[in-house]
Amino acid sequence: MSKVRLHDKDFELFIPEGEVHAAIDRLAGELRAKYNGKRPLFIGVLNGAFYFAAELVKRLDIECEITFVKVASYHGTRSTGRVSELIGLNEKLEGRHVVVLEDIVDTGNTVRHIMDSLLEHHPASVSIAALLFKPDAYKQDIPIEYVAVRIPNDFVVGSGLDHDGLGRNLPGIYRIINTHA
Ligand code: IMP
């Protein structure tokens, strides 16, 4: 399937599943080398990271733990502005090596919120691993240390990523081509 319509938008195949898997293979090799013997805690950010998390950890033959969180974002008081809260984090992070698994890093605002929340728990280290990274859209200074695939600043779906709820189940990555009125 090289083209697909989701709601009002058309998408075309951009990165075939085999290439996505090869990129995750390479990333798993990097993470294995870095975290073997450190029992890392991988934290997948739902909903989008379910696919990346599963594909990554099944390639990691090291002792590790995996859990998932959701980011709830809401308007706080006028002085605090937009507030984000991590939901579902029950593990003790103090002294742990934490790797956040993101489906995609775009502006980096989500990563910023997650990082701020996690650092309050005094982990030994926190790194970010992303299936996809849009360097041209990124506005933060937090290093995105582990990236499977860098992509241009286009809207994409598939491999866990959605357009308004649809497309997460598509194998590979699809890129937007047009919108219908
Ligand atoms: P950021 O906070 O701007 O980095 O955006 C992160 C979140 O926006 C991701 O976790 C996605 O949910 C969503 N997002 C950003 N770009 C895309 C895209 O191209 N396709 C689907 N979702 C996206």
Side-chain angles (χ1 to χ4, degrees):
M1 194 166 44
S2 64
K3 283 194 182 156
V4 63
R5 179 176 294 189
L6 304 173
H7 298 298
D8 57 336
K9 294 181 170 44
D10 289 327
F11 295 82
E12 66 182 1
L13 184 62
F14 174 40
I15 309 171
E17 186 180 27
E19 280 182 37
V20 176
H21 285 177
I24 299 175
D25 282 344
R26 182 186 46 71
L27 200 62
E30 282 180 45
L31 287 164
R32 184 187 304 111
K34 183 77 186 277
Y35 289 100
N36 194 9
K38 294 185 174 168
R39 197 190 287 182
L41 173 64
F42 292 100
I43 302 181
V45 183
L46 293 173
N47 291 326
F50 74 91
Y51 169 91
F52 177 44
E55 289 294 328
L56 183 70
V57 298
K58 76 185 189 191
R59 290 166 166 83
L60 274 172
D61 51 353
I62 62 171
E63 194 176 59
C64 63
E65 292 175 39
I66 173 129
T67 190
F68 289 90
V69 294
K70 271 203 163 198
V71 180
S73 179
Y74 53 90
H75 281 292
T77 62
R78 198 176 301 171
S79 61
T80 53
R82 198 138 192 99
V83 178
S84 289
E85 194 188 331
L86 290 188
I87 298 177
L89 187 64
N90 302 316
E91 287 71 12
K92 242 181 117 250
L93 301 189
E94 195 169 340
R96 300 292 308 271
H97 292 283
V98 172
V99 182
V100 177
L101 304 180
E102 269 277 23
D103 54 352
I104 188 164
V105 176
D106 186 359
T107 63
N109 291 340
T110 308
V111 158
R112 166 96 267 157
H113 291 310
I114 292 171
M115 192 61 114
D116 289 348
S117 299
L118 293 179
L119 288 175
E120 287 174 13
H121 298 270
H122 307 293
S125 68
V126 186
S127 294
I128 310 292
L131 176 62
L132 302 175
F133 179 41
K134 296 180 182 174
D136 296 340
Y138 193 58
K139 293 189 170 61
Q140 298 290 336
D141 53 7
I142 300 166
I144 308 301
E145 255 175 278
Y146 303 100
V147 175
V149 187
R150 286 174 173 73
I151 62 167
N153 199 0
D154 294 330
F155 189 76
V156 294
V157 295
S159 301
L161 290 121
D162 74 310
H163 164 44
D164 204 6
L166 296 180
R168 294 192 197 277
N169 55 321
L170 291 169
I173 303 292
Y174 286 70
R175 168 163 69 179
I176 192 164
I177 41 180
N178 58 45
T179 302
H180 296 269

